[in-house]
Amino acid sequence: MVRTPCRDKSGLKKGLSRCGKSCSLRWMNYLRPNIKRGNYSKEEEDITIRLHQQLGNRWSTIAAELPGRTDNEIKNHWHTNLKKRLLLQNSVTDDQKSDQNSQSETSSQEEVSKSPQEFDINPMNTPQILESSTSTSSSTDHDQVSSITIDTTPVEFNRSLETTIQEDSVANFFEPYAGNNFWTEPFLADSSYNFNISNDFLAPLIDPGYISLHSLLLDGELLRPYGLY
DNA sequence: AACGAGTGCAACCGCTATGGA
DNA sequence: GTCCATAGCGGTTGCACTCGT
């Protein structure tokens, strides 16, 4: 069943008019209280890269592993930052390989036996970018080239993805919230939003303690879109 | 100051899945 | 079983903003 688009007959948007779907999307992607905003941590980027390697463009699944991040945000971040970095990484890796090829014929024969995916895209094999995740960086690609630091320490590849995420990022990320099963109840955070932004805003009620642990502490920038600092 | 290019991200679009009548 | 509304997903677009010239 094809959804009726939020357009008038001329095909133009109806100004500021919003259909239910538009409102829903805006809530889910932008207004939802437990959305984490601001720069991505290295852990979040690592998770994104690994999951994308495993799952492809299943952004909602990836988003489920990154609490506070929406699929849309992750998708945007991937297209605007991570994809470029991986491409850059690959180009650096290719350069290194070409250098190595010119120096060692033996090593080149080993490389040939690999499929491209084994050493190009796979973030588990490629060097880890240590650059801080400043998504607002206005530097040019050329500047990024000069600013990126490559860590050639190999990542243990045999660990399962789930174990890797749990050990490397998620457990550490939510350790301060231990005792609240945020991880298995991701949408409870929505319900935790029981303080009034305005008199017009009605939200479900829940234990106020939940707010401090999940909503308020998730990110310092959480309330800034509402003018609450 | 003005302009153009590049960038980031919210919003939109088309589609499928699902559930209720 | 059919129809319809809605939720959710991934791809794409449009525009505000920043930066360099």
Side-chain angles (χ1 to χ4, degrees), chain A residues 18-79:
Chain A
R18 309 278 188 185
C19 65
K21 184 175 180 175
S22 295
C23 293
S24 176
L25 276 174
R26 181 161 168 78
W27 170 261
M28 293 297 293
N29 291 328
Y30 190 71
L31 298 176
R32 203 166 49 159
N34 61 326
I35 287 178
K36 185 181 179 182
R37 309 192 69 80
N39 295 340
Y40 277 67
S41 66
K42 184 179 185 301
E43 287 78 11
E44 288 176 308
E45 292 188 337
D46 286 345
I47 292 172
T48 302
I49 292 170
R50 289 172 193 167
L51 286 172
H52 187 270
Q53 171 65 23
Q54 293 284 328
L55 304 170
N57 294 347
R58 296 174 65 182
W59 304 114
S60 61
T61 305
I62 296 173
E65 306 297 327
L66 291 170
R69 302 292 188 185
T70 68
D71 56 344
N72 203 36
E73 189 178 15
I74 293 170
K75 180 171 59 181
N76 285 332
H77 187 64
W78 172 263
H79 284 124

Side-chain angles (χ1 to χ4, degrees), chain A residues 55-159:
Chain A
L55 304 170
N57 294 347
R58 296 174 65 182
W59 304 114
S60 61
T61 305
I62 296 173
E65 306 297 327
L66 291 170
R69 302 292 188 185
T70 68
D71 56 344
N72 203 36
E73 189 178 15
I74 293 170
K75 180 171 59 181
N76 285 332
H77 187 64
W78 172 263
H79 284 124
T80 59
N81 289 282
L82 301 182
K83 188 167 73 174
K84 292 177 183 177
R85 289 188 198 178
L86 281 182
L87 289 173
L88 186 63
Q89 249 179 272
N90 293 338
S91 67
V92 171
T93 305
D94 290 342
D95 290 343
Q96 291 175 343
K97 283 193 299 182
S98 63
D99 289 343
Q100 291 174 353
N101 289 344
S102 63
Q103 293 174 357
S104 172
E105 195 169 332
T106 304
S107 60
S108 68
Q109 292 173 345
E110 294 174 357
E111 291 288 323
V112 167
S113 64
K114 293 180 179 180
S115 67
Q117 197 175 20
E118 283 181 295
F119 52 75
D120 284 340
I121 302 299
N122 191 337
M124 307 295 283
N125 289 341
T126 54
Q128 303 298 299
I129 298 176
L130 297 180
E131 177 194 26
S132 61
S133 56
T134 53
S135 61
T136 56
S137 171
S138 59
S139 60
T140 63
D141 289 343
H142 180 270
D143 290 335
Q144 290 175 356
V145 169
S146 61
S147 66
I148 287 178
T149 304
I150 302 297
D151 180 4
T152 56
T153 304
V155 176
E156 185 178 354
F157 182 72
N158 290 331
R159 291 196 299 184

